Amino acid sequence: MKFAVLGSNTSTSLSPKLHSIVYDILELNHSYSFIESSDIDQDMLLKYNGLNITNPFKKSIINYVDNVDPLAEKIGSVNCIKYTNSKIYGFNTDYYGFNQFIKSNNIELFNKNILVVGAGGASLSICSYLNDINKKFKILNRTYTNTQHFINKLNISNNYIYDGKLKHYDIIINCLPNNVNFLKMLERNEIDYHRSTSIIDINYLTNINYINDNQNYYNGIDMLIHQAIKSIEIWIEKDISQIVDYQIIKDRLKKDA
Protein backbone atom coordinates (compact mmCIF):
# COMPACT_ATOMS: atom_id res chain seq x y z
CA MET A 1 0.00 0.00 0.00
CA LYS A 2 1.12 3.54 -0.73
CA PHE A 3 0.94 6.46 1.71
CA ALA A 4 2.39 9.97 2.08
CA VAL A 5 2.17 13.30 3.90
CA LEU A 6 0.79 16.27 1.92
CA GLY A 7 1.62 19.88 2.74
CA SER A 8 3.40 23.00 1.57
CA ASN A 9 6.66 22.27 3.42
CA THR A 10 6.98 18.53 3.96
CA SER A 11 10.56 17.85 2.84
CA THR A 12 11.78 18.11 6.46
CA SER A 13 8.91 16.06 7.89
CA LEU A 14 9.74 13.15 10.19
CA SER A 15 6.60 11.32 9.08
CA PRO A 16 8.29 9.16 6.39
CA LYS A 17 10.87 7.90 8.93
CA LEU A 18 8.22 7.46 11.60
CA HIS A 19 5.89 5.44 9.40
CA SER A 20 8.75 3.33 8.05
CA ILE A 21 9.66 2.40 11.63
CA VAL A 22 6.09 1.34 12.43
CA TYR A 23 5.76 -0.62 9.16
CA ASP A 24 9.01 -2.39 9.99
CA ILE A 25 7.74 -3.34 13.46
CA LEU A 26 4.47 -4.59 11.98
CA GLU A 27 6.29 -6.33 9.09
CA LEU A 28 4.19 -4.47 6.53
CA ASN A 29 5.43 -3.90 3.00
CA HIS A 30 4.04 -0.37 2.71
CA SER A 31 5.67 2.82 1.41
CA TYR A 32 5.42 6.35 2.83
CA SER A 33 6.77 9.49 1.17
CA PHE A 34 6.20 13.24 1.23
CA ILE A 35 4.33 15.48 -1.22
CA GLU A 36 5.27 19.14 -1.21
CA SER A 37 2.72 21.30 -3.00
CA SER A 38 1.19 24.77 -2.99
CA ASP A 39 -2.28 23.42 -3.80
CA ILE A 40 -4.39 20.26 -3.75
CA ASP A 41 -4.55 18.11 -6.87
CA GLN A 42 -7.66 15.91 -6.93
CA ASP A 43 -6.09 13.36 -9.29
CA MET A 44 -3.01 13.10 -7.08
CA LEU A 45 -5.15 12.22 -4.04
CA LEU A 46 -6.47 9.16 -5.85
CA LYS A 47 -2.97 7.75 -6.39
CA TYR A 48 -2.53 6.94 -2.69
CA ASN A 49 -4.27 4.54 -0.33
CA GLY A 50 -4.03 7.19 2.36
CA LEU A 51 -2.50 10.56 3.14
CA ASN A 52 -1.66 12.58 6.20
CA ILE A 53 -2.58 16.22 5.66
CA THR A 54 -0.57 19.04 7.18
CA ASN A 55 -0.29 22.83 6.93
CA PRO A 56 -1.96 24.58 5.14
CA PHE A 57 -4.53 22.06 3.87
CA LYS A 58 -6.22 20.66 7.00
CA LYS A 59 -9.32 22.80 6.45
CA SER A 60 -9.46 23.03 2.65
CA ILE A 61 -8.98 19.27 2.11
CA ILE A 62 -12.56 18.79 3.36
CA ASN A 63 -13.78 20.08 -0.02
CA TYR A 64 -12.19 17.03 -1.69
CA VAL A 65 -13.51 14.41 0.73
CA ASP A 66 -16.60 12.30 -0.02
CA ASN A 67 -17.29 11.23 3.57
CA VAL A 68 -16.09 13.11 6.66
CA ASP A 69 -15.83 11.37 10.02
CA PRO A 70 -18.19 12.97 12.62
CA LEU A 71 -15.31 14.12 14.84
CA ALA A 72 -13.45 15.70 11.92
CA GLU A 73 -16.66 17.36 10.75
CA LYS A 74 -17.32 18.79 14.21
CA ILE A 75 -13.78 20.14 14.47
CA GLY A 76 -13.63 21.36 10.88
CA SER A 77 -10.18 19.91 10.32
CA VAL A 78 -9.05 16.77 8.46
CA ASN A 79 -5.45 15.57 8.78
CA CYS A 80 -5.89 11.99 7.56
CA ILE A 81 -7.63 10.67 4.45
CA LYS A 82 -8.23 7.17 3.17
CA TYR A 83 -9.04 6.24 -0.42
CA THR A 84 -11.05 3.06 -0.73
CA ASN A 85 -13.98 1.81 -2.81
CA SER A 86 -13.55 4.81 -5.15
CA LYS A 87 -14.25 7.27 -2.34
CA ILE A 88 -12.12 9.53 -0.14
CA TYR A 89 -12.80 9.39 3.59
CA GLY A 90 -11.60 12.13 5.94
CA PHE A 91 -10.58 11.77 9.59
CA ASN A 92 -8.99 13.80 12.36
CA THR A 93 -6.20 12.08 14.30
CA ASP A 94 -4.74 15.29 15.80
CA TYR A 95 -7.47 15.24 18.47
CA TYR A 96 -6.50 11.70 19.47
CA GLY A 97 -2.79 12.52 19.24
CA PHE A 98 -3.09 15.50 21.58
CA ASN A 99 -5.21 13.53 24.05
CA GLN A 100 -2.61 10.75 24.19
CA PHE A 101 0.19 13.31 24.40
CA ILE A 102 -1.39 14.89 27.51
CA LYS A 103 -1.87 11.47 29.12
CA SER A 104 1.58 10.08 28.32
CA ASN A 105 3.31 13.16 29.74
CA ASN A 106 1.04 13.41 32.80
CA ILE A 107 0.26 17.06 32.09
CA GLU A 108 -2.24 18.43 34.60
CA LEU A 109 -4.84 20.72 33.02
CA PHE A 110 -7.12 21.09 36.04
CA ASN A 111 -7.51 24.65 37.32
CA LYS A 112 -4.87 25.99 34.91
CA ASN A 113 -4.87 29.18 32.85
CA ILE A 114 -4.27 28.00 29.28
CA LEU A 115 -3.31 30.08 26.25
CA VAL A 116 -3.48 28.57 22.76
CA VAL A 117 -1.49 30.48 20.14
CA GLY A 118 -2.62 30.14 16.54
CA ALA A 119 -5.94 29.33 14.86
CA GLY A 120 -5.07 26.77 12.20
CA GLY A 121 -6.16 23.17 11.72
CA ALA A 122 -4.11 21.71 14.59
CA SER A 123 -5.32 24.46 16.91
CA LEU A 124 -8.92 23.59 16.02
CA SER A 125 -8.31 20.02 17.17
CA ILE A 126 -6.58 21.05 20.39
CA CYS A 127 -9.15 23.69 21.33
CA SER A 128 -11.96 21.26 20.55
CA TYR A 129 -10.34 18.77 22.91
CA LEU A 130 -9.94 21.38 25.66
CA ASN A 131 -13.54 22.49 25.19
CA ASP A 132 -14.81 18.89 25.31
CA ILE A 133 -13.15 18.30 28.68
CA ASN A 134 -14.48 21.65 29.96
CA LYS A 135 -11.14 23.42 30.30
CA LYS A 136 -11.11 27.20 29.98
CA PHE A 137 -8.61 28.72 27.59
CA LYS A 138 -7.83 31.83 25.56
CA ILE A 139 -6.94 31.96 21.87
CA LEU A 140 -4.26 34.33 20.62
CA ASN A 141 -4.00 34.66 16.85
CA ARG A 142 -2.40 37.01 14.35
CA THR A 143 -5.67 38.15 12.71
CA TYR A 144 -8.99 38.88 14.40
CA THR A 145 -11.08 37.77 11.38
CA ASN A 146 -9.60 34.26 11.41
CA THR A 147 -10.05 34.10 15.17
CA GLN A 148 -13.73 34.99 14.78
CA HIS A 149 -14.22 32.23 12.20
CA PHE A 150 -12.34 29.91 14.54
CA ILE A 151 -14.58 30.42 17.58
CA ASN A 152 -17.70 30.28 15.40
CA LYS A 153 -16.60 26.87 14.16
CA LEU A 154 -16.03 25.67 17.72
CA ASN A 155 -19.35 27.22 18.79
CA ILE A 156 -17.75 29.08 21.69
CA SER A 157 -18.11 32.71 22.77
CA ASN A 158 -15.88 35.74 22.22
CA ASN A 159 -14.79 35.34 25.84
CA TYR A 160 -12.32 32.74 24.59
CA ILE A 161 -10.45 35.32 22.51
CA TYR A 162 -7.32 36.72 24.15
CA ASP A 163 -8.19 40.19 25.47
CA GLY A 164 -4.89 41.27 27.02
CA LYS A 165 -6.19 41.35 30.58
CA LEU A 166 -4.15 38.38 31.79
CA LYS A 167 -0.42 38.49 31.03
CA HIS A 168 0.57 35.22 32.68
CA TYR A 169 -0.60 31.72 31.76
CA ASP A 170 0.23 28.43 33.45
CA ILE A 171 0.27 26.56 30.14
CA ILE A 172 1.01 28.00 26.69
CA ILE A 173 0.36 25.85 23.62
CA ASN A 174 2.02 26.98 20.40
CA CYS A 175 0.11 25.96 17.26
CA LEU A 176 1.71 28.47 14.90
CA PRO A 177 3.54 27.26 11.78
CA ASN A 178 7.22 26.53 12.30
CA ASN A 179 8.24 29.59 10.26
CA VAL A 180 6.42 32.05 12.56
CA ASN A 181 8.31 33.41 15.56
CA PHE A 182 6.27 32.23 18.51
CA LEU A 183 8.17 34.20 21.15
CA LYS A 184 7.96 37.53 19.33
CA MET A 185 4.20 37.16 19.13
CA LEU A 186 4.03 36.59 22.89
CA GLU A 187 6.32 39.54 23.53
CA ARG A 188 4.28 41.84 21.27
CA ASN A 189 1.27 41.00 23.42
CA GLU A 190 3.30 41.49 26.62
CA ILE A 191 2.77 37.90 27.75
CA ASP A 192 5.31 36.84 30.38
CA TYR A 193 6.05 33.30 29.18
CA HIS A 194 8.97 33.01 31.62
CA ARG A 195 6.43 32.52 34.42
CA SER A 196 4.56 29.70 32.65
CA THR A 197 4.96 26.28 34.23
CA SER A 198 4.58 24.42 30.92
CA ILE A 199 5.15 25.34 27.28
CA ILE A 200 3.82 22.95 24.67
CA ASP A 201 5.09 23.48 21.14
CA ILE A 202 3.42 21.15 18.65
CA ASN A 203 6.26 21.84 16.20
CA TYR A 204 8.78 19.05 16.70
CA LEU A 205 11.61 20.83 14.84
CA THR A 206 11.67 23.93 17.04
CA ASN A 207 14.94 24.87 18.77
CA ILE A 208 14.65 25.14 22.55
CA ASN A 209 16.43 28.24 23.81
CA TYR A 210 13.93 30.05 25.99
CA ILE A 211 13.09 27.64 28.82
CA ASN A 212 14.27 28.16 32.38
CA ASP A 213 14.87 25.48 35.00
CA ASN A 214 11.42 25.94 36.51
CA GLN A 215 9.54 25.23 33.29
CA ASN A 216 8.46 22.07 31.52
CA TYR A 217 8.94 22.12 27.76
CA TYR A 218 7.26 19.66 25.42
CA ASN A 219 7.67 19.60 21.67
CA GLY A 220 5.35 17.93 19.18
CA ILE A 221 7.13 14.60 18.72
CA ASP A 222 4.80 12.72 21.09
CA MET A 223 1.69 14.08 19.41
CA LEU A 224 3.17 13.23 16.00
CA ILE A 225 3.76 9.60 16.99
CA HIS A 226 0.33 9.11 18.55
CA GLN A 227 -1.56 10.62 15.61
CA ALA A 228 0.55 8.55 13.20
CA ILE A 229 -0.38 5.33 15.00
CA LYS A 230 -4.05 6.31 14.77
CA SER A 231 -3.69 7.06 11.04
CA ILE A 232 -2.15 3.64 10.40
CA GLU A 233 -4.99 1.97 12.31
CA ILE A 234 -7.48 3.75 10.05
CA TRP A 235 -5.63 2.74 6.88
CA ILE A 236 -5.06 -0.94 7.70
CA GLU A 237 -8.29 -1.28 9.73
CA LYS A 238 -6.55 -2.86 12.69
CA ASP A 239 -5.88 -1.86 16.31
CA ILE A 240 -2.09 -1.73 16.69
CA SER A 241 -1.94 0.15 20.00
CA GLN A 242 -1.19 -3.07 21.88
CA ILE A 243 1.31 -4.29 19.28
CA VAL A 244 3.62 -1.32 18.82
CA ASP A 245 5.56 0.13 21.75
CA TYR A 246 5.38 3.92 21.74
CA GLN A 247 8.71 4.36 23.55
CA ILE A 248 10.53 2.02 21.16
CA ILE A 249 9.20 4.03 18.22
CA LYS A 250 10.31 7.28 19.84
CA ASP A 251 13.79 5.93 20.63
CA ARG A 252 14.27 4.63 17.09
CA LEU A 253 13.03 7.89 15.62
CA LYS A 254 15.59 9.85 17.67
CA LYS A 255 18.33 7.41 16.72
CA ASP A 256 17.54 7.58 13.00
CA ALA A 257 17.02 11.37 12.96
Side-chain angles (χ1 to χ4, degrees):
M1 299 176 78
K2 185 179 177 182
F3 306 102
V5 56
L6 168 65
S8 62
N9 186 25
T10 56
S11 60
T12 58
S13 173
L14 287 179
S15 290
K17 289 182 180 179
L18 168 56
H19 282 257
S20 294
I21 290 169
V22 179
Y23 299 158
D24 180 56
I25 293 172
L26 297 175
E27 298 181 343
L28 296 174
N29 188 26
H30 298 334
S31 67
Y32 192 103
S33 57
F34 70 88
I35 306 167
E36 199 162 86
S37 178
S38 59
D39 56 20
I40 298 173
D41 181 349
Q42 174 80 39
D43 293 333
M44 179 271 298
L45 299 180
L46 306 181
K47 295 178 181 179
Y48 292 84
N49 300 101
L51 292 171
N52 285 125
I53 311 299
T54 189
N55 185 60
F57 303 130
K58 291 184 180 183
K59 298 177 186 177
S60 57
I61 192 69
I62 294 177
N63 298 322
Y64 298 84
V65 172
D66 298 302
N67 295 90
V68 183
D69 176 78
L71 176 63
E73 185 172 19
K74 183 189 82 166
I75 296 171
S77 174
V78 165
N79 74 307
C80 174
I81 64 172
K82 178 179 181 178
Y83 180 55
T84 183
N85 298 323
S86 301
K87 288 188 177 182
I88 299 175
Y89 296 82
F91 305 87
N92 184 294
T93 63
D94 279 338
Y95 184 103
Y96 171 85
F98 187 73
N99 175 39
Q100 293 301 113
F101 159 75
I102 293 296
K103 290 180 178 179
S104 62
N105 286 283
N106 297 312
I107 299 174
E108 180 57 65
L109 301 177
F110 177 73
N111 203 28
K112 302 293 184 182
N113 293 316
I114 303 172
L115 178 69
V116 179
V117 185
S123 182
L124 270 171
S125 303
I126 289 170
C127 289
S128 182
Y129 169 79
L130 293 173
N131 192 46
D132 285 349
I133 62 173
N134 297 314
K135 301 304 176 189
K136 297 297 182 182
F137 56 92
K138 293 287 187 180
I139 302 163
L140 172 64
N141 192 44
R142 290 170 289 176
T143 61
Y144 182 81
T145 301
N146 285 347
T147 309
Q148 195 65 54
H149 289 318
F150 186 92
I151 65 168
N152 289 342
K153 181 61 186 177
L154 290 175
N155 196 28
I156 57 179
S157 72
N158 284 2
N159 292 333
Y160 284 82
I161 299 177
Y162 174 74
D163 54 14
K165 293 180 180 179
L166 184 64
K167 298 299 184 182
H168 159 245
Y169 289 86
D170 301 307
I171 299 174
I172 299 177
I173 305 172
N174 177 32
C175 299
L176 292 170
N178 199 42
N179 61 351
V180 178
N181 194 309
F182 166 52
L183 294 186
K184 284 187 177 180
M185 186 167 178
L186 294 179
E187 290 166 356
R188 280 198 303 269
N189 288 274
E190 300 180 341
I191 296 171
D192 186 5
Y193 58 85
H194 295 290
R195 294 175 59 196
S196 300
T197 55
S198 296
I199 293 180
I200 300 171
D201 191 340
I202 68 167
N203 296 300
Y204 52 83
L205 298 175
T206 305
N207 292 322
I208 309 170
N209 57 7
Y210 52 86
I211 304 302
N212 60 51
D213 293 338
N214 298 319
Q215 290 177 303
N216 296 310
Y217 173 85
Y218 309 90
N219 71 10
I221 192 67
D222 294 326
M223 182 174 169
L224 177 72
I225 294 172
H226 286 302
Q227 68 85 14
I229 291 173
K230 191 64 175 179
S231 294
I232 294 170
E233 289 183 338
I234 290 170
W235 294 332
I236 68 174
E237 299 181 358
K238 181 179 180 180
D239 183 356
I240 63 172
S241 60
Q242 303 303 314
I243 304 174
V244 296
D245 187 304
Y246 159 78
Q247 192 58 50
I248 290 176
I249 296 172
K250 187 174 181 179
D251 291 343
R252 283 187 58 177
L253 192 60
K254 287 182 177 180
K255 181 180 178 181
D256 295 345

